[in-house]
Amino acid sequence: MPLKAVNDSDFESEVINSDTPVLVDFWAEWCGPCKALLPIVEDVASEMVGKVKIVKMNIEEAPETPTKYGLRGVPTLMLFKGGKVVDTHVSGMPKSQLIEWLNDKV
């Protein structure tokens, strides 16, 4: 299942105002580790439907949001709950670690 892409204009409605916790995968086209992480994030999104919403944001196409949240590198995963960042992970991680990280937070 492909992830929904969000941008600066729909970030608030899709992430901040979501009733469900949202994991945002900040990525860039030129980023090798981002491309390696994408299938893992897609798998986890399919497995955690209803528990956490997972979206992706291309930092090149949507520069305002990453700047607002102080992004320093990609890939960066940010977990939002109730409109606030509850945790951030910079760099990739194996699927089992991502699921464990999310289960601890949501």
Side-chain angles (χ1 to χ4, degrees):
M1 171 182 159
L3 298 179
K4 177 173 178 66
V6 296
N7 56 42
D8 289 332
S9 62
D10 64 1
F11 187 81
E12 187 168 339
S13 62
E14 291 291 336
V15 178
I16 302 302
N17 296 334
S18 175
D19 294 336
T20 331
V22 183
L23 178 69
V24 182
D25 175 12
F26 291 96
W27 69 285
E29 194 63 49
W30 46 261
C31 168
C34 297
K35 290 179 181 177
L37 183 61
L38 183 60
I40 294 169
V41 172
E42 286 176 338
D43 277 357
V44 172
S46 298
E47 288 181 25
M48 298 190 81
V49 169
K51 189 170 185 180
V52 65
K53 175 178 168 181
I54 302 180
V55 299
K56 62 182 180 175
M57 176 175 262
N58 184 328
I59 64 165
E60 307 259 299
E61 295 171 2
E64 290 171 28
T65 304
T67 302
K68 178 180 177 182
Y69 289 97
L71 227 69
R72 293 210 167 86
V74 286
T76 293
L77 301 173
M78 275 189 191
L79 183 62
F80 289 79
K81 234 171 140 177
K84 306 256 187 270
V85 178
V86 290
D87 205 355
T88 302
H89 179 85
V90 181
S91 80
M93 67 174 98
K95 181 179 173 182
S96 59
Q97 187 182 344
L98 177 55
I99 289 173
E100 188 178 314
W101 182 67
L102 286 172
N103 281 330
D104 285 349
K105 308 295 175 192
V106 298

